[in-house]
Amino acid sequence: MEETQDKNRQEQQMQAPKLKQRGYTGIIVIAVIVALIAIATAVLVYHELYTKPLFEENQDLKELAEQEKQEMENQYKEFDLQYEQLQRTIKNDSLIAQIENERRHTQQLLEELERTKATDAAEIKRLKAEIASLREVLRSYIMQVDSLNRLNQSLNEENTQIKEQISVANTQITNLSTERNELKDKVNIAAQLDATGFWVTPKNKKSKDTQKVKDVKKLAFGFTIVKNVTAQNGQRTLYARILKPDNSVMGKKGTFPYENTDLEYTEKKYIDYTEKVTMYSDVTEFLEAGIYKLFIFCDKQMIGQTSFTLK
């Protein structure tokens, strides 16, 4: 009986340290759990109190930066539009070129802005400063154009008055000139030579008459100048102008003045006043069958014409 009691006491003494050790371990585990809960709670509290508001603030700042960038882009586009409108209102080439240079500079800055991130504070600041500079330059051009337009308006009013005075003077001069030209035309008509009695003879390479267009190598032609007692004596230049069926000039040798223009001629001949005239023209180009026209000019007047057919 006593032995059994002793044995139980010994077992209790052996188990006591183990129970004590288990008690310590449980306390430590509980403490760790409590600490972890406290840390998690602190993290959540910190996030709610500091991190979340800071994140929201950054988002707000980012949105403001995007809005500011968009406003800057709109200003650049407005500058470009105003430059375009200025160019349409002026005709001064030098000023137009200057405005075009500034417009290209504005477009270049706009492209740089469009490539820049809204959060790039340094670049946004630089491009924003450029806006102020562009605004001053644009204002100076607007003032120049306005001043130039007002000056042009004043000059236009003066020009209108001067044009009215010139118009009155020109009317008087025109009336006098018309009267003088009418008298001159009457004199010229009276003194104009008159060519009649035309004849045209096609020649082949042996200088014999031919009627086949493919064999024509020379044209002999002539006419009679009617005696005009009012015509002045002296040497004159006759111009012969031959038109082919397609109305192109045959054998172009040069030009002569006629009614404020220059006409091409086929042959020319210097003559002293004479009644009978004969001229020749070598054929060095392709001729087609059809109706040809011959015109004779002298003293800037057409004095006769005829037509002939090559088959």
Side-chain angles (χ1 to χ4, degrees):
M1 186 70 176
E2 292 179 357
E3 291 179 0
T4 299
Q5 292 177 348
D6 292 337
K7 186 176 181 179
N8 289 335
R9 281 196 297 270
Q10 291 177 357
E11 290 177 356
Q12 290 176 354
Q13 290 176 355
M14 293 177 63
Q15 291 178 355
K18 292 180 180 181
L19 293 174
K20 188 176 182 179
Q21 185 176 3
R22 289 177 182 175
Y24 289 149
T25 301
I27 292 171
I28 293 173
V29 169
I30 292 172
V32 169
I33 292 173
V34 172
L36 291 175
I37 292 173
I39 292 172
T41 302
V43 169
L44 290 174
V45 171
Y46 181 82
H47 173 73
E48 290 296 326
L49 294 178
Y50 300 100
T51 305
K52 185 177 180 180
L54 183 60
F55 175 77
E56 292 176 350
E57 182 179 356
N58 288 338
Q59 286 295 108
D60 292 341
L61 292 175
K62 185 176 181 181
E63 291 178 1
L64 289 174
E66 290 290 348
Q67 292 177 2
E68 182 180 21
K69 179 185 175 184
Q70 185 60 51
E71 291 176 358
M72 291 172 61
E73 291 180 4
N74 292 338
Q75 291 183 58
Y76 276 116
K77 292 176 181 178
E78 179 64 24
F79 291 156
D80 180 67
L81 179 60
Q82 291 186 21
Y83 277 129
E84 181 182 5
Q85 293 173 344
L86 283 178
Q87 288 177 308
R88 294 177 179 176
T89 60
I90 57 176
K91 296 182 179 179
N92 186 301
D93 293 339
S94 176
L95 188 55
I96 289 175
Q98 295 177 35
I99 291 176
E100 180 61 25
N101 288 335
E102 290 299 328
R103 186 181 178 189
R104 284 198 295 267
H105 179 57
T106 301
Q107 292 171 344
Q108 178 183 354
L109 292 174
L110 175 59
E111 292 173 358
E112 293 178 11
L113 178 60
E114 291 174 342
R115 293 193 300 267
T116 301
K117 292 183 178 180
T119 54
D120 189 345
E123 188 66 8
I124 292 295
K125 181 179 179 181
R126 181 184 73 83
L127 294 171
K128 190 173 183 179
E130 290 285 355
I131 290 178
S133 176
L134 290 176
R135 185 176 289 107
E136 289 300 320
V137 173
L138 178 60
R139 183 181 292 110
S140 69
Y141 279 117
I142 291 175
M143 293 175 63
Q144 289 184 54
V145 170
D146 181 64
S147 176
L148 185 61
N149 287 339
R150 281 189 277 105
L151 177 60
N152 287 338
Q153 183 178 357
S154 175
L155 291 175
N156 287 336
E157 292 174 355
E158 293 180 6
N159 287 338
T160 300
Q161 296 176 356
I162 294 174
K163 286 179 179 178
E164 291 176 352
Q165 296 172 1
I166 293 176
S167 178
V168 173
N170 284 339
T171 301
Q172 296 174 350
I173 293 172
T174 299
N175 292 335
L176 293 175
S177 179
T178 301
E179 294 176 2
R180 183 187 64 183
N181 289 335
E182 289 175 352
L183 292 174
K184 183 179 179 181
D185 289 341
K186 292 178 180 178
V187 173
N188 289 336
I189 291 173
Q192 179 178 315
L193 300 179
D194 187 19
T196 62
F198 282 89
W199 58 268
V200 179
T201 304
K203 304 282 186 179
N204 61 20
K205 63 182 179 180
K206 295 182 180 181
S207 295
K208 294 184 178 182
D209 296 354
T210 181
Q211 295 299 321
K212 296 181 179 180
V213 67
K214 65 183 182 65
D215 295 331
V216 176
K217 299 300 178 184
K218 180 182 293 187
L219 287 177
F221 56 92
F223 44 88
T224 299
I225 296 179
V226 179
K227 184 70 175 179
N228 189 333
V229 295
T230 62
Q232 295 180 355
N233 294 326
Q235 190 181 65
R236 284 178 167 78
T237 304
L238 297 179
Y239 294 96
R241 176 178 166 90
I242 300 176
L243 297 184
K244 297 189 291 186
D246 62 359
N247 286 326
S248 62
V249 178
M250 187 184 83
K252 303 171 186 177
K253 298 293 193 310
T255 61
F256 65 94
Y258 177 71
E259 292 186 354
N260 299 320
T261 187
D262 290 326
L263 295 180
E264 295 174 321
Y265 65 85
T266 304
E267 297 293 339
K268 72 178 178 178
K269 186 173 184 176
Y270 300 103
I271 64 167
D272 287 319
Y273 186 85
T274 180
E275 292 186 354
K276 300 289 185 180
V277 178
T278 299
M279 300 178 70
Y280 299 92
S281 180
D282 293 329
V283 177
T284 60
E285 59 194 280
F286 171 77
L287 297 182
E288 59 180 325
I291 298 175
Y292 289 71
K293 298 175 183 178
L294 170 62
F295 301 88
I296 302 299
F297 295 84
C298 182
D299 298 334
K300 299 181 180 180
Q301 301 288 335
M302 186 181 72
I303 65 173
Q305 63 177 314
T306 189
S307 62
F308 58 96
T309 302
L310 295 179
K311 300 180 181 179

